[in-house]
């Protein structure tokens, strides 16, 4: 692209904001992935996977919106839609995986301290 | 609510046409003027000013966004600790909201917030089964969800 409109101090500030958002998003997704490996059972792993991916994607999309706006390519409403749909579909996906696992008798981790659902 | 929204849009259109302009900017100015007029004449409609409801929705979204960020940092610290410290478990949460849309909203919000994940709803739509990553104080978790989300969702639909 390279059509950044702002010059001088403004462009530096914008660049820092965009880089920070990208960095934050990548970190959250990375931590989500590490959690996916480290956590003991499928239910705990879902925690790491859904939360990390949602906020990570949100930050990256936000960075993308700011970049394209500043670059003079208009406000990309499509990226906003991506955020909305990720926020809608991610929890539903996690919910369905958890529900299906439980109904297929996937064991809770042995360290779990309560199960009030209890095979109903 | 629908009547007020219709009136507001009509005022905005009239404003834009009086300026013989069809840009979004003029429509927006007209919309703001219409909102002010509706606020002044709200008794005429016999119901509350409809933008007040929008404010409540905004408040709910704001709380929700804050909770998502908190949730991520919580998982972040749990993951990077050298020794895994977890007390997971499934708890029951009795819910008050009844309409399917609100239950979906509540369930999704619970999933995206710190340490909780909705697993299943009981057949009579009265109890949510929630997987919690770290059960310290069960009542505190339940109260948290109630005060932060459930009450605000109820407020929005009044």
């Amino acid at each position: 692209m390279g059509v950044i409109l702002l010059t001088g101090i403004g462009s530096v500030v914008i660049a820092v904001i965009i880089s920070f958002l990208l960095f934050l998003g990548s970190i959250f997704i990375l931590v989500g992935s590490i959690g996916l490996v480290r956590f003991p059972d499928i239910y705990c792993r879902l925690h790491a996977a859904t939360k990390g991916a949602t906020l990570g994607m949100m930050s990256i999309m936000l960075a993308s919106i700011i970049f394209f706006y500043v670059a003079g390519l208009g406000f990309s409403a499509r990226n906003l839609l991506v955020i909305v749909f990720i926020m809608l579909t991610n929890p539903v996906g996690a919910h369905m995986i958890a529900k299906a696992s439980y109904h297929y008798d996937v064991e809770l981790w042995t360290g779990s301290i309560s199960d009030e659902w209890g095979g109903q | 609510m629908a009547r007020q929204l219709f009136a507001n849009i009509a005022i905005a259109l009239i404003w834009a046409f009086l300026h013989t302009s069809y840009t979004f900017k003029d429509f927006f100015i007209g919309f703001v003027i219409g909102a002010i007029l509706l606020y002044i004449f709200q008794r005429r409609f016999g119901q509350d000013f409809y933008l007040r409801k929008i404010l409540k929705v905004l408040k709910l979204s704001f709380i929700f966004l804050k909770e998502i960020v908190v949730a991520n940092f919580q998982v972040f610290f749990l993951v990077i600790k050298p020794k895994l410290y977890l007390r997971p478990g499934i708890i029951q949460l009795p819910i008050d909201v009844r309409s399917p849309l609100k239950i979906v909203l509540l369930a999704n919000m619970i999933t995206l917030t710190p340490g909780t994940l909705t697993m299943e709803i009981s057949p009579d739509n009265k109890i949510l089964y929630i997987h919690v990553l770290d059960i310290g104080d069960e009542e505190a978790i339940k109260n948290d969800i109630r005060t932060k989300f459930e009450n605000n969702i109820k407020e929005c639909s009044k």
Side-chain angles (χ1 to χ4, degrees):
Chain A
M1 300 293 149
V3 243
I4 304 284
L5 293 180
L6 288 173
T7 49
I9 191 78
S11 74
V12 174
V13 171
I14 295 286
V16 167
I17 291 173
I18 292 175
S19 321
F20 178 72
L21 281 174
L22 285 176
F23 175 73
L24 209 65
S26 325
I27 287 289
F28 281 136
I29 292 178
L30 176 70
V31 166
S33 316
I34 296 173
L36 208 59
V37 179
R38 282 197 74 194
F39 281 172
D41 66 353
I42 185 167
Y43 307 106
C44 295
R45 284 175 175 163
L46 276 176
H47 281 275
T50 48
K51 280 159 203 158
T54 314
L55 193 69
M57 284 303 289
M58 274 169 70
S59 317
I60 290 174
M61 285 300 145
L62 211 59
S64 155
I65 290 174
I66 295 174
F67 174 78
F68 281 111
Y69 187 73
V70 172
L73 294 167
F75 180 76
S76 56
R78 246 179 265 166
N79 284 350
L80 215 58
L81 273 185
V82 170
I83 293 178
V84 171
F85 279 113
I86 282 179
M87 268 170 70
L88 279 180
T89 52
N90 241 346
V92 177
H95 167 62
M96 290 323 282
I97 294 172
K99 187 172 166 169
S101 318
Y102 201 89
H103 281 298
Y104 274 93
D105 295 329
V106 177
E107 298 275 313
L108 284 168
W109 180 43
T110 43
S112 305
I113 58 175
S114 79
D115 180 5
E116 291 183 7
W117 189 352
Q120 287 166 34
Chain B
M1 167 140 183
R3 229 163 45 146
Q4 290 188 50
L5 185 65
F6 179 75
N8 203 344
I9 289 174
I11 293 170
L13 278 179
I14 291 169
W15 178 269
F17 287 163
L18 283 177
H19 282 252
T20 55
S21 109
Y22 311 101
T23 57
F24 181 75
K25 202 187 98 195
D26 273 303
F27 182 81
F28 182 75
I29 294 172
F31 198 85
V32 172
I33 290 173
I36 294 169
L37 282 178
L38 281 179
Y39 182 71
I40 294 169
F41 291 108
Q42 57 179 307
R43 262 194 310 173
R44 181 74 186 74
F45 285 92
Q47 63 205 134
D48 255 6
F49 184 49
Y50 79 105
L51 285 179
R52 201 163 283 160
K53 205 176 265 183
I54 311 258
L55 277 184
K56 280 174 188 162
V57 175
L58 279 180
K59 187 183 160 207
L60 182 66
S61 345
F62 183 74
I63 293 175
F64 180 50
L65 279 178
K66 200 191 95 200
E67 289 296 311
I68 291 183
V69 176
V70 173
N72 271 276
F73 279 102
Q74 197 201 31
V75 170
F76 181 89
F77 289 121
L78 276 177
V79 167
I80 60 170
K81 259 183 208 154
K83 190 172 175 300
L84 220 48
Y85 182 69
L86 295 174
R87 285 174 294 175
I90 300 172
I91 62 170
Q92 294 185 350
L93 177 79
I95 52 173
D96 286 336
V97 288
R98 281 291 163 264
S99 86
L101 183 69
K102 279 181 236 160
I103 294 176
V104 170
L105 199 64
L106 183 64
N108 274 10
M109 286 184 163
I110 288 171
T111 299
L112 285 178
T113 50
T116 48
L117 185 111
T118 315
M119 291 176 73
E120 173 70 299
I121 186 163
S122 66
D124 56 356
N125 288 3
K126 278 181 184 156
I127 296 167
L128 284 179
Y129 297 98
I130 299 175
H131 186 267
V132 183
L133 207 49
D134 185 8
I135 303 182
D137 181 1
E138 204 180 308
E139 280 306 313
I141 295 170
K142 287 180 185 173
N143 272 332
D144 221 34
I145 292 172
R146 265 189 214 120
T147 50
K148 272 183 188 144
F149 300 130
E150 210 174 346
N151 289 348
N152 276 311
I153 288 177
K154 272 191 230 156
E155 282 283 308
C156 286
S157 58
K158 248 179 210 167

